[in-house]
Amino acid sequence: MAKKLKYRVANPADIPDIFLLLIEMHKENGLAALDTTKTMMKIGELVKEGFVAVASNDDDEIVASVGAGVGQQWYSNDHHIGDYWMFVGKGYRRSMAAQKLIEMLRVFARGVKLPLYVAIVSKQDTKRKNALYRRRFKAIGESFMMEAR
């Protein structure tokens, strides 16, 4: 594992590498079938019009990313920033990557003067991620799921 990761806002040249990272995320946590075309389009849209940040190792391989965009509640015209993904690849999960990317996302939301909503939806154990988010954000609920059978 790299000793020090580099953090930056993503650019269009990063889209293929972010896509590969998010394929890894889907393999671990995907709750629905993956549509690769839709995924690539969403990454491109957020890189261009939203917020995407990445962490890369000494070999400039993208090993973590967060993506967010502007949204609205179904009952309001008020806008907010909502996350689409937060993922740190295996081998980098004990690094500061998640904390640094969350802080970049918080700075972005403050800069556009919009509230930030983040969620944890995962098939994996989320104790560490929940603890991280609880230190940085106000809890506003929980998520639940029922599988169709």
Short mmCIF file of all heavy atoms in Angstrom, two decimals, residues 69-113:
data_model
loop_
_atom_site.label_atom_id
_atom_site.label_comp_id
_atom_site.label_asym_id
_atom_site.label_seq_id
_atom_site.Cartn_x
_atom_site.Cartn_y
_atom_site.Cartn_z
N GLY A 69 -23.97 14.99 -6.42
CA GLY A 69 -24.61 15.92 -7.34
C GLY A 69 -25.71 16.70 -6.64
O GLY A 69 -26.06 16.43 -5.50
N VAL A 70 -26.25 17.67 -7.36
CA VAL A 70 -27.33 18.49 -6.84
C VAL A 70 -28.64 17.75 -7.02
O VAL A 70 -28.90 17.17 -8.08
CB VAL A 70 -27.38 19.86 -7.56
CG1 VAL A 70 -28.55 20.69 -7.08
CG2 VAL A 70 -26.07 20.61 -7.34
N GLY A 71 -29.46 17.75 -5.98
CA GLY A 71 -30.76 17.09 -6.04
C GLY A 71 -31.80 17.89 -5.29
O GLY A 71 -31.52 18.97 -4.75
N GLN A 72 -33.01 17.34 -5.26
CA GLN A 72 -34.12 17.94 -4.55
C GLN A 72 -34.92 16.83 -3.87
O GLN A 72 -34.98 15.71 -4.38
CB GLN A 72 -35.07 18.68 -5.50
CG GLN A 72 -34.47 19.89 -6.17
CD GLN A 72 -35.45 20.50 -7.15
OE1 GLN A 72 -35.97 19.83 -8.02
NE2 GLN A 72 -35.69 21.80 -6.99
N GLN A 73 -35.55 17.17 -2.77
CA GLN A 73 -36.51 16.26 -2.17
C GLN A 73 -37.74 16.24 -3.07
O GLN A 73 -38.03 17.23 -3.77
CB GLN A 73 -36.91 16.73 -0.76
CG GLN A 73 -35.76 16.80 0.21
CD GLN A 73 -35.22 15.43 0.58
OE1 GLN A 73 -35.81 14.39 0.30
NE2 GLN A 73 -34.06 15.42 1.21
N TRP A 74 -38.48 15.18 -3.07
CA TRP A 74 -39.65 15.08 -3.94
C TRP A 74 -40.72 16.11 -3.59
O TRP A 74 -41.56 16.44 -4.43
CB TRP A 74 -40.23 13.67 -3.89
CG TRP A 74 -40.72 13.25 -2.53
CD1 TRP A 74 -39.99 12.61 -1.56
CD2 TRP A 74 -42.01 13.46 -1.97
NE1 TRP A 74 -40.75 12.41 -0.44
CE2 TRP A 74 -42.01 12.91 -0.66
CE3 TRP A 74 -43.19 14.05 -2.42
CZ2 TRP A 74 -43.11 12.94 0.18
CZ3 TRP A 74 -44.30 14.07 -1.59
CH2 TRP A 74 -44.25 13.51 -0.30
N TYR A 75 -40.68 16.66 -2.41
CA TYR A 75 -41.72 17.58 -1.94
C TYR A 75 -41.28 19.04 -1.92
O TYR A 75 -42.01 19.90 -1.42
CB TYR A 75 -42.17 17.18 -0.53
CG TYR A 75 -41.01 17.10 0.46
CD1 TYR A 75 -40.51 18.24 1.07
CD2 TYR A 75 -40.41 15.87 0.72
CE1 TYR A 75 -39.44 18.16 1.94
CE2 TYR A 75 -39.35 15.80 1.60
CZ TYR A 75 -38.88 16.94 2.21
OH TYR A 75 -37.81 16.85 3.06
N SER A 76 -40.09 19.35 -2.46
CA SER A 76 -39.55 20.69 -2.31
C SER A 76 -38.79 21.14 -3.55
O SER A 76 -38.27 20.32 -4.31
CB SER A 76 -38.61 20.72 -1.10
OG SER A 76 -37.99 21.99 -0.98
N ASN A 77 -38.72 22.45 -3.73
CA ASN A 77 -37.89 23.02 -4.78
C ASN A 77 -36.50 23.38 -4.27
O ASN A 77 -35.66 23.84 -5.04
CB ASN A 77 -38.56 24.25 -5.39
CG ASN A 77 -39.78 23.88 -6.19
OD1 ASN A 77 -39.77 22.90 -6.94
ND2 ASN A 77 -40.86 24.63 -6.03
N ASP A 78 -36.27 23.22 -2.96
CA ASP A 78 -34.96 23.49 -2.38
C ASP A 78 -33.95 22.45 -2.89
O ASP A 78 -34.30 21.28 -3.07
CB ASP A 78 -35.01 23.42 -0.85
CG ASP A 78 -35.85 24.53 -0.24
OD1 ASP A 78 -36.20 25.49 -0.97
OD2 ASP A 78 -36.17 24.42 0.96
N HIS A 79 -32.73 22.89 -3.09
CA HIS A 79 -31.68 22.00 -3.58
C HIS A 79 -30.77 21.56 -2.44
O HIS A 79 -30.67 22.22 -1.41
CB HIS A 79 -30.84 22.72 -4.64
CG HIS A 79 -31.60 22.96 -5.90
ND1 HIS A 79 -32.36 24.08 -6.11
CD2 HIS A 79 -31.73 22.21 -7.01
CE1 HIS A 79 -32.93 24.02 -7.30
NE2 HIS A 79 -32.57 22.89 -7.87
N HIS A 80 -30.11 20.45 -2.67
CA HIS A 80 -29.12 19.93 -1.74
C HIS A 80 -28.06 19.17 -2.55
O HIS A 80 -28.24 18.88 -3.72
CB HIS A 80 -29.75 19.00 -0.70
CG HIS A 80 -30.32 17.75 -1.30
ND1 HIS A 80 -31.64 17.65 -1.69
CD2 HIS A 80 -29.76 16.55 -1.59
CE1 HIS A 80 -31.85 16.45 -2.20
NE2 HIS A 80 -30.72 15.77 -2.15
N ILE A 81 -26.96 18.84 -1.90
CA ILE A 81 -25.95 17.96 -2.48
C ILE A 81 -26.21 16.57 -1.91
O ILE A 81 -26.36 16.41 -0.70
CB ILE A 81 -24.52 18.41 -2.12
CG1 ILE A 81 -24.25 19.85 -2.59
CG2 ILE A 81 -23.48 17.44 -2.68
CD1 ILE A 81 -24.34 20.05 -4.08
N GLY A 82 -26.29 15.58 -2.77
CA GLY A 82 -26.48 14.20 -2.35
C GLY A 82 -25.38 13.32 -2.90
O GLY A 82 -24.97 13.49 -4.05
N ASP A 83 -24.90 12.40 -2.09
CA ASP A 83 -23.83 11.53 -2.56
C ASP A 83 -24.40 10.40 -3.42
O ASP A 83 -25.52 9.94 -3.22
CB ASP A 83 -23.00 10.97 -1.40
CG ASP A 83 -23.74 9.93 -0.58
OD1 ASP A 83 -24.97 10.06 -0.40
OD2 ASP A 83 -23.08 8.98 -0.10
N TYR A 84 -23.61 9.99 -4.39
CA TYR A 84 -23.92 8.84 -5.23
C TYR A 84 -23.05 7.65 -4.83
O TYR A 84 -23.49 6.52 -4.88
CB TYR A 84 -23.70 9.16 -6.71
CG TYR A 84 -24.84 9.93 -7.32
CD1 TYR A 84 -24.90 11.32 -7.21
CD2 TYR A 84 -25.87 9.29 -7.98
CE1 TYR A 84 -25.94 12.04 -7.76
CE2 TYR A 84 -26.93 9.99 -8.53
CZ TYR A 84 -26.96 11.37 -8.41
OH TYR A 84 -28.01 12.08 -8.94
N TRP A 85 -21.81 7.92 -4.50
CA TRP A 85 -20.93 6.86 -4.04
C TRP A 85 -19.83 7.41 -3.16
O TRP A 85 -19.48 8.58 -3.23
CB TRP A 85 -20.30 6.08 -5.21
CG TRP A 85 -19.30 6.87 -6.02
CD1 TRP A 85 -17.97 7.09 -5.71
CD2 TRP A 85 -19.52 7.56 -7.24
NE1 TRP A 85 -17.37 7.86 -6.66
CE2 TRP A 85 -18.30 8.17 -7.62
CE3 TRP A 85 -20.62 7.73 -8.06
CZ2 TRP A 85 -18.17 8.92 -8.77
CZ3 TRP A 85 -20.49 8.48 -9.21
CH2 TRP A 85 -19.27 9.07 -9.56
N MET A 86 -19.34 6.54 -2.32
CA MET A 86 -18.12 6.75 -1.53
C MET A 86 -17.52 5.36 -1.46
O MET A 86 -18.13 4.43 -0.91
CB MET A 86 -18.44 7.27 -0.14
CG MET A 86 -17.32 7.06 0.88
SD MET A 86 -15.74 7.77 0.45
CE MET A 86 -15.98 9.42 1.01
N PHE A 87 -16.34 5.19 -2.05
CA PHE A 87 -15.74 3.87 -2.07
C PHE A 87 -14.23 3.98 -1.95
O PHE A 87 -13.60 4.78 -2.65
CB PHE A 87 -16.10 3.12 -3.35
CG PHE A 87 -15.61 1.71 -3.38
CD1 PHE A 87 -16.18 0.73 -2.57
CD2 PHE A 87 -14.56 1.34 -4.21
CE1 PHE A 87 -15.72 -0.58 -2.58
CE2 PHE A 87 -14.10 0.04 -4.22
CZ PHE A 87 -14.68 -0.92 -3.41
N VAL A 88 -13.70 3.15 -1.08
CA VAL A 88 -12.26 3.02 -0.91
C VAL A 88 -11.91 1.58 -1.23
O VAL A 88 -12.47 0.64 -0.64
CB VAL A 88 -11.82 3.37 0.54
CG1 VAL A 88 -10.32 3.18 0.71
CG2 VAL A 88 -12.24 4.80 0.88
N GLY A 89 -11.01 1.40 -2.19
CA GLY A 89 -10.63 0.05 -2.61
C GLY A 89 -9.92 -0.73 -1.52
O GLY A 89 -9.32 -0.17 -0.60
N LYS A 90 -9.99 -2.05 -1.67
CA LYS A 90 -9.31 -2.93 -0.71
C LYS A 90 -7.83 -2.57 -0.68
O LYS A 90 -7.24 -2.20 -1.67
CB LYS A 90 -9.47 -4.39 -1.14
CG LYS A 90 -10.86 -4.92 -0.93
CD LYS A 90 -10.96 -6.38 -1.34
CE LYS A 90 -12.38 -6.86 -1.14
NZ LYS A 90 -12.58 -8.21 -1.63
N GLY A 91 -7.24 -2.70 0.47
CA GLY A 91 -5.83 -2.36 0.63
C GLY A 91 -5.62 -0.91 1.06
O GLY A 91 -4.53 -0.54 1.46
N TYR A 92 -6.68 -0.10 0.98
CA TYR A 92 -6.57 1.31 1.35
C TYR A 92 -7.62 1.70 2.40
O TYR A 92 -7.77 2.87 2.72
CB TYR A 92 -6.72 2.20 0.11
CG TYR A 92 -5.59 1.98 -0.86
CD1 TYR A 92 -5.69 1.01 -1.85
CD2 TYR A 92 -4.41 2.69 -0.74
CE1 TYR A 92 -4.63 0.77 -2.71
CE2 TYR A 92 -3.35 2.45 -1.60
CZ TYR A 92 -3.47 1.49 -2.58
OH TYR A 92 -2.42 1.26 -3.42
N ARG A 93 -8.31 0.73 2.93
CA ARG A 93 -9.41 1.01 3.85
C ARG A 93 -8.96 1.43 5.24
O ARG A 93 -9.74 1.97 5.98
CB ARG A 93 -10.35 -0.18 3.90
CG ARG A 93 -10.99 -0.36 2.54
CD ARG A 93 -12.17 -1.23 2.55
NE ARG A 93 -12.69 -1.27 1.19
CZ ARG A 93 -13.20 -2.32 0.62
NH1 ARG A 93 -13.32 -3.44 1.30
NH2 ARG A 93 -13.63 -2.26 -0.62
N ARG A 94 -7.75 1.19 5.57
CA ARG A 94 -7.24 1.66 6.88
C ARG A 94 -6.44 2.94 6.70
O ARG A 94 -5.79 3.41 7.62
CB ARG A 94 -6.38 0.58 7.53
CG ARG A 94 -7.14 -0.69 7.82
CD ARG A 94 -7.69 -0.66 9.20
NE ARG A 94 -8.39 -1.92 9.49
CZ ARG A 94 -9.34 -2.00 10.39
NH1 ARG A 94 -9.69 -0.94 11.08
NH2 ARG A 94 -9.95 -3.14 10.60
N SER A 95 -6.51 3.52 5.51
CA SER A 95 -5.84 4.80 5.26
C SER A 95 -6.78 5.93 5.66
O SER A 95 -7.86 5.71 6.19
CB SER A 95 -5.50 4.91 3.76
OG SER A 95 -6.69 5.09 3.00
N MET A 96 -6.38 7.13 5.37
CA MET A 96 -7.20 8.30 5.65
C MET A 96 -8.08 8.66 4.46
O MET A 96 -8.70 9.72 4.45
CB MET A 96 -6.31 9.49 6.01
CG MET A 96 -5.48 9.30 7.26
SD MET A 96 -6.48 9.19 8.74
CE MET A 96 -7.08 10.86 8.86
N ALA A 97 -8.15 7.80 3.45
CA ALA A 97 -8.83 8.15 2.19
C ALA A 97 -10.28 8.57 2.41
O ALA A 97 -10.70 9.61 1.90
CB ALA A 97 -8.75 6.98 1.21
N ALA A 98 -11.06 7.78 3.13
CA ALA A 98 -12.47 8.12 3.33
C ALA A 98 -12.60 9.47 4.04
O ALA A 98 -13.41 10.31 3.63
CB ALA A 98 -13.19 7.02 4.10
N GLN A 99 -11.83 9.67 5.08
CA GLN A 99 -11.91 10.93 5.82
C GLN A 99 -11.56 12.13 4.96
O GLN A 99 -12.23 13.16 4.99
CB GLN A 99 -11.00 10.87 7.04
CG GLN A 99 -11.48 9.87 8.07
CD GLN A 99 -10.56 9.80 9.26
OE1 GLN A 99 -10.23 10.82 9.85
NE2 GLN A 99 -10.15 8.59 9.63
N LYS A 100 -10.51 12.00 4.17
CA LYS A 100 -10.08 13.12 3.31
C LYS A 100 -11.12 13.40 2.22
O LYS A 100 -11.40 14.56 1.93
CB LYS A 100 -8.73 12.81 2.67
CG LYS A 100 -7.62 12.61 3.68
CD LYS A 100 -6.79 13.83 3.80
CE LYS A 100 -5.59 13.50 4.68
NZ LYS A 100 -4.81 14.64 5.00
N LEU A 101 -11.67 12.35 1.61
CA LEU A 101 -12.66 12.55 0.56
C LEU A 101 -13.95 13.15 1.12
O LEU A 101 -14.56 14.01 0.49
CB LEU A 101 -12.94 11.24 -0.18
CG LEU A 101 -11.78 10.72 -1.03
CD1 LEU A 101 -12.10 9.33 -1.56
CD2 LEU A 101 -11.45 11.68 -2.17
N ILE A 102 -14.34 12.71 2.30
CA ILE A 102 -15.52 13.30 2.95
C ILE A 102 -15.28 14.78 3.21
O ILE A 102 -16.17 15.61 2.98
CB ILE A 102 -15.86 12.56 4.25
CG1 ILE A 102 -16.49 11.21 3.92
CG2 ILE A 102 -16.80 13.39 5.13
CD1 ILE A 102 -16.67 10.31 5.13
N GLU A 103 -14.11 15.12 3.67
CA GLU A 103 -13.82 16.53 3.94
C GLU A 103 -13.85 17.34 2.65
O GLU A 103 -14.35 18.47 2.64
CB GLU A 103 -12.49 16.70 4.67
CG GLU A 103 -12.29 18.10 5.20
CD GLU A 103 -13.44 18.65 6.05
OE1 GLU A 103 -14.09 17.88 6.79
OE2 GLU A 103 -13.70 19.86 5.95
N MET A 104 -13.34 16.79 1.55
CA MET A 104 -13.41 17.50 0.26
C MET A 104 -14.87 17.71 -0.15
O MET A 104 -15.23 18.79 -0.65
CB MET A 104 -12.66 16.72 -0.81
CG MET A 104 -11.16 16.72 -0.63
SD MET A 104 -10.31 15.70 -1.87
CE MET A 104 -10.45 16.76 -3.32
N LEU A 105 -15.71 16.71 0.07
CA LEU A 105 -17.12 16.82 -0.25
C LEU A 105 -17.80 17.88 0.62
O LEU A 105 -18.60 18.68 0.14
CB LEU A 105 -17.80 15.45 -0.08
CG LEU A 105 -19.28 15.36 -0.41
CD1 LEU A 105 -19.57 15.83 -1.82
CD2 LEU A 105 -19.75 13.92 -0.19
N ARG A 106 -17.46 17.92 1.90
CA ARG A 106 -18.03 18.93 2.81
C ARG A 106 -17.61 20.34 2.37
O ARG A 106 -18.44 21.26 2.38
CB ARG A 106 -17.58 18.65 4.23
CG ARG A 106 -18.26 17.44 4.85
CD ARG A 106 -17.60 16.99 6.14
NE ARG A 106 -17.40 18.07 7.07
CZ ARG A 106 -17.98 18.17 8.26
NH1 ARG A 106 -18.79 17.23 8.67
NH2 ARG A 106 -17.72 19.19 9.05
N VAL A 107 -16.37 20.51 1.98
CA VAL A 107 -15.89 21.82 1.52
C VAL A 107 -16.65 22.24 0.26
O VAL A 107 -17.07 23.39 0.11
CB VAL A 107 -14.36 21.80 1.29
CG1 VAL A 107 -13.90 23.03 0.52
CG2 VAL A 107 -13.64 21.67 2.62
N PHE A 108 -16.87 21.29 -0.65
CA PHE A 108 -17.63 21.58 -1.88
C PHE A 108 -19.04 22.05 -1.52
O PHE A 108 -19.52 23.07 -2.03
CB PHE A 108 -17.68 20.35 -2.78
CG PHE A 108 -18.66 20.48 -3.90
CD1 PHE A 108 -18.39 21.30 -4.99
CD2 PHE A 108 -19.86 19.79 -3.87
CE1 PHE A 108 -19.31 21.43 -6.03
CE2 PHE A 108 -20.78 19.91 -4.90
CZ PHE A 108 -20.50 20.73 -5.99
N ALA A 109 -19.73 21.30 -0.65
CA ALA A 109 -21.11 21.65 -0.28
C ALA A 109 -21.17 23.03 0.38
O ALA A 109 -22.07 23.83 0.07
CB ALA A 109 -21.70 20.59 0.64
N ARG A 110 -20.21 23.31 1.24
CA ARG A 110 -20.17 24.64 1.87
C ARG A 110 -19.95 25.71 0.82
O ARG A 110 -20.53 26.80 0.89
CB ARG A 110 -19.04 24.71 2.90
CG ARG A 110 -19.39 24.07 4.21
CD ARG A 110 -18.29 24.38 5.25
NE ARG A 110 -18.28 23.37 6.27
CZ ARG A 110 -17.33 22.45 6.45
NH1 ARG A 110 -16.28 22.43 5.67
NH2 ARG A 110 -17.43 21.58 7.41
N GLY A 111 -19.10 25.42 -0.15
CA GLY A 111 -18.78 26.39 -1.19
C GLY A 111 -19.98 26.75 -2.05
O GLY A 111 -20.10 27.90 -2.49
N VAL A 112 -20.86 25.79 -2.30
CA VAL A 112 -22.06 26.08 -3.09
C VAL A 112 -23.25 26.41 -2.19
O VAL A 112 -24.36 26.62 -2.67
CB VAL A 112 -22.40 24.92 -4.07
CG1 VAL A 112 -21.32 24.77 -5.12
CG2 VAL A 112 -22.66 23.62 -3.34
N LYS A 113 -22.98 26.46 -0.88
CA LYS A 113 -23.98 26.85 0.12
C LYS A 113 -25.24 26.00 0.06
O LYS A 113 -26.37 26.52 0.10
CB LYS A 113 -24.30 28.34 0.00
CG LYS A 113 -23.11 29.23 0.30
CD LYS A 113 -23.47 30.69 0.20
CE LYS A 113 -22.40 31.68 0.54
NZ LYS A 113 -21.05 31.34 0.51
#
